[in-house]
């Protein structure tokens, strides 16, 4: 038995991950649990800061013209996915991290950049000493109990703690047995946010989408 892989992340990331899965010969089920929308904001003077921190590709996509007001600053991206989005937006990067926001901030500080501004989502994890400006919202969606029930005997990809928590609540509301679902989590923090009782939970070897898909595909094959 080869289980389908369920992708919960919002667009356009959902399609990108689903394509990666289908290109590898597995079945992908798209089930976005969040909708992304831009939030109006005003860019502060770039001279007030030493560096721009980007911890989400959605921040790059939703920031609009204000992003380029800050583009003269050294730009630090949290990882390769965010870096790719920044490059597609015409930005030049000074540094790219390989883990999470804390690691990316430490990378910026290692370059001597202390006054750091971050463009981020409405729900975000605070980073000490960072000036946050909200440029997008990620609103939860309810796809309906019938679609949640359809993920039984599937592998679900979890890209964030918030997605893990929301998915867990939807599973409970739909009265689906956690023991029927396998999870592939982007990190230990994401796995912890999902809670216990799942059939199996594996964590990606690295905190990026290709590694998460690889983990999910391994989980999909019953041996």
């Amino acid at each position: 038995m080869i289980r389908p892989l369920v992708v919960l992340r919002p667009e356009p990331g959902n399609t990108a991950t689903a394509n990666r899965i289908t290109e590898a010969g597995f079945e992908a089920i798209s089930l976005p649990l969040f909708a992304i929308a831009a939030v109006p904001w005003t860019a502060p003077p770039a001279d007030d800061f030493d560096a721009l921190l980007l911890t989400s590709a959605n921040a790059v996509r939703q920031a609009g013209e204000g992003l380029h007001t800050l583009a003269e600053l050294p730009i630090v991206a949290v990882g390769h996915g965010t870096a790719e989005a920044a490059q597609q937006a015409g930005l030049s990067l000074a540094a790219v991290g390989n883990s999470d926001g804390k690691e990316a901030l430490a990378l910026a500080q290692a370059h001597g950049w202390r006054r750091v501004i971050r463009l981020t989502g409405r729900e975000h994890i605070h980073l000490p000493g960072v000036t946050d400006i909200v440029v997008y919202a990620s609103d939860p969606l309810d796809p309906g109990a019938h679609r949640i029930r359809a993920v039984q005997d599937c592998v679900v990809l979890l890209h964030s703690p918030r997605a893990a928590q929301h998915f867990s609540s939807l599973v409970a509301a739909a009265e689906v047995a956690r023991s029927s679902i396998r999870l592939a989590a982007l990190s230990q923090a994401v796995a912890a946010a999902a809670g216990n009782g799942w059939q199996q939970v594996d964590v990606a070897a690295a905190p990026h989408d290709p590694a998460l898909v690889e983990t999910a595909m391994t989980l999909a094959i019953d041996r």
Side-chain angles (χ1 to χ4, degrees):
M1 175 181 178
I2 300 180
R3 299 164 184 257
L5 278 60
V6 183
V7 185
L8 307 182
R9 66 191 305 203
E11 295 292 3
N14 194 293
T15 295
T17 299
N19 287 344
R20 183 172 279 120
I21 291 167
T22 56
E23 288 168 2
F26 288 74
E27 178 185 355
I29 298 175
S30 294
L31 189 66
L33 294 189
F34 296 92
I36 305 298
V39 171
W41 67 287
T42 301
D47 292 346
D48 291 349
F49 301 96
D50 299 324
L52 171 62
L53 178 63
L54 298 173
T55 55
S56 168
N58 287 317
V60 177
R61 298 185 186 109
Q62 302 298 327
E65 290 302 317
L67 174 62
H68 295 278
T69 302
L70 301 172
E72 65 189 65
L73 293 169
I75 300 173
V76 180
V78 69
H80 295 290
T82 302
E84 182 179 356
Q87 289 167 340
Q88 290 174 351
L91 304 181
S92 298
L93 298 170
V96 179
N98 291 300
S99 182
D100 56 15
K102 290 181 180 179
E103 188 261 357
L105 176 59
L107 184 60
Q109 293 172 338
H111 282 78
W113 302 323
R114 301 297 174 184
R115 301 177 303 162
V116 177
I117 184 172
R118 175 173 64 163
L119 305 184
T120 188
R122 187 174 57 201
E123 288 78 22
H124 58 270
I125 298 173
H126 176 68
L127 296 174
V130 173
T131 298
D132 283 323
I133 296 184
V134 173
V135 299
Y136 75 94
S138 177
D139 294 321
L141 302 174
D142 185 350
H146 67 290
R147 296 206 65 192
I148 297 299
R149 294 189 187 106
V151 307
Q152 295 180 85
D153 298 320
C154 294
V155 178
V156 176
L157 285 73
L158 299 176
H159 283 79
S160 70
R162 190 168 175 237
Q165 293 167 352
H166 186 34
F167 178 69
S168 296
S169 67
L170 291 172
V171 166
E175 299 182 342
V176 174
R178 290 188 176 206
S179 58
S180 69
I181 301 170
R182 297 179 181 181
L183 301 180
L186 191 67
S187 67
Q188 289 290 351
V190 174
N196 301 316
W198 308 97
Q199 184 179 120
Q200 188 173 343
V201 182
D202 284 359
V203 176
H208 52 64
D209 193 55
L212 181 60
V213 170
E214 186 70 28
T215 298
M217 290 191 299
T218 301
L219 279 172
I221 302 173
D222 287 336
R223 302 182 186 279

